[in-house]
Amino acid sequence: MKYIAHRGASLIKQENTVESLVCGAELGAYAVECDIRVTADGRYIIFHDPDLNRIAGSDVRIKDKTFDEIAAIVRENAGYTPITVEDIAERYHESTPILLHIKIPAADDLLDTLERAPFPFICGIERAEDVKKYRRFLPSERILSFIPCPDQAEAFIREGAGIVRLWEHWLDKTKPADIKAISPDVEVWIMANRDGSMNGAPESLATITELGADGVLLNDIVMGMNWKKENEPMEQTSTYRNPICEGADPFILLHDGKYYHYATNAPDGYLVYESDNLVDWENRGYCLRKEDVQGDKWFWAPEIMVRNGKFWMVYTSEEHLGIAVADSPLGPFKQAKQQWLSERNAIDGDFFVDDDGTVYLYYVRFAGGNVIYGSRLDETTMTLDEESEQRLIAAEEEWETKLGRVAEGPFMLKHNGKYYLTYSANDYRSIDYAIGYAVSDSPLGPFTKYEGNPILHRTEDVNGVGHHSFTYSKDGSQMICVYHRHNSLTTVHPRTTCIDRAWFDGDVLKISGPTTKEQSSPAF
């Protein structure tokens, strides 16, 4: 069951703030909720109540005053400054989606603002006639209907809502199964309000779970996540459907029978997710934080190598490469001496250990576009042997230059004594972002591009597939390509992680994808 932090972590942090939303995300909530109202001067303010009475002891109504007037009252009486949708866009950088409870009729300027929003979100709609307006740019599964009464559920579902909210006190007469009888694909989320409190209670969670609800909204997200951990053991799923989780530039490590997912997924480091089966993922928190390494922002494309009992992470920050080390795949990854691998700009590092034990690093430099280079790695000094550096892959062919001159995301494979340098081409925002490869007799080239490129590219259902890595089933029999795709056919962010089977057909590398249908999990 999904746990949604109502008003963020509102029992820990001040509600209606970015800090409350971030705290809820860090505690492991599936989504964090907040409310949108409009002020007298047309500003979209984040505020739960229609007036300031509960928060600031004033009967002033949100709709009757300007934002600045409301902010002054709240600062004086509640000690904080209210925020707007624009503040969330600027300051919220988590991968956890925000459930935006929109308590006003749909307006063109709000629709335009949300369509361009850089953060992941679900829209909560109070009016059935507004659903189609949001369906213009959102799939059904990202539209929740705050129905006024149970008999209105069908009208919202008919308009395209994919989630229905029920109140806990309705459950005596209306069950989740009643809603799913209207449409089996609809999710049902319950707003906890046992004895008039929206904090939630263990007894409520037991009942809601037993009734087969898909999600629960509650104020006490700490209690909720603890109850989930104690009462909902991670399920073992034998089938899957892409995407498997959120995250861009993904890398999955298989170690001691568990999978660890690293990706571009946080503004100030990296979160790591753990799974037994490549399908059910648990957020294990930060494995690397910016204060432990060189670099302050733009944390992209992490990759892990296990070497001499240690876990090495090559990471990108501020368009430079660094290496951090940990004793566990969960981290914390740190640098004993905070430094870059090279003072020259580089991104998208990829480790490769050859049969003789030599460690190579492949990466991207900016040289008239994004160009892939490779060199040996000095493990003693944790620096690149730049004297060995070779220029390997540049975007030159038609499929590689649909948008920009970009070759990036290198990942090396070795097969039958040949070196297969796989890579992605085009700007990642392009629908034509795709994967190809080149082959050489040497780890540092020269490389010859495969004539059948690209080997993974967009379809009528999926755009922007690329920046990949490879992992294996637990028995080693199945190679698996891990890649990201665009969030939808019309939006890029947040990008999501997918997995599909890969294999060598003789000397030709093939990937069965991008797939969207349910299929058996390759993890075992």
Side-chain angles (χ1 to χ4, degrees), residues 274-293:
E274 182 179 344
S275 174
D276 289 323
N277 57 12
L278 282 175
V279 181
D280 304 298
W281 293 93
E282 179 182 0
N283 183 349
R284 299 300 302 274
Y286 279 87
C287 62
L288 180 147
R289 295 180 181 271
K290 68 178 183 180
E291 53 264 30
D292 293 328
V293 297

Side-chain angles (χ1 to χ4, degrees), residues 3 199-203 205 218 220-228:
Y3 290 72
N199 289 348
E203 297 84 358
L205 297 179
L218 71 172
D220 195 345
I221 190 62
V222 173
M223 181 278 296
M225 297 311 297
N226 286 337
W227 193 91
K228 175 182 175 70

Side-chain angles (χ1 to χ4, degrees), residues 197-236:
S197 170
M198 290 187 283
N199 289 348
E203 297 84 358
S204 297
L205 297 179
T207 299
I208 291 168
T209 300
E210 184 178 349
L211 290 174
D214 300 289
V216 60
L217 293 85
L218 71 172
N219 290 348
D220 195 345
I221 190 62
V222 173
M223 181 278 296
M225 297 311 297
N226 286 337
W227 193 91
K228 175 182 175 70
K229 185 175 182 179
E230 294 172 2
N231 294 277
E232 296 184 19
M234 185 179 291
E235 297 178 357
Q236 295 296 308

Side-chain angles (χ1 to χ4, degrees), residues 22 35 45 49 67 97 99 103 128 166 185 189 232 242 274 350 354 378 385 435 441 450 455 506 524:
V22 170
D35 307 84
I45 189 172
D49 300 348
F67 176 83
L99 169 56
K103 295 187 168 180
L166 300 179
D185 294 329
W189 294 2
E232 296 184 19
N242 282 319
E274 182 179 344
D350 166 55
D354 209 348
D378 189 322
D385 176 8
I435 297 173
D441 293 323
Y450 171 53
I455 60 171
F524 303 105

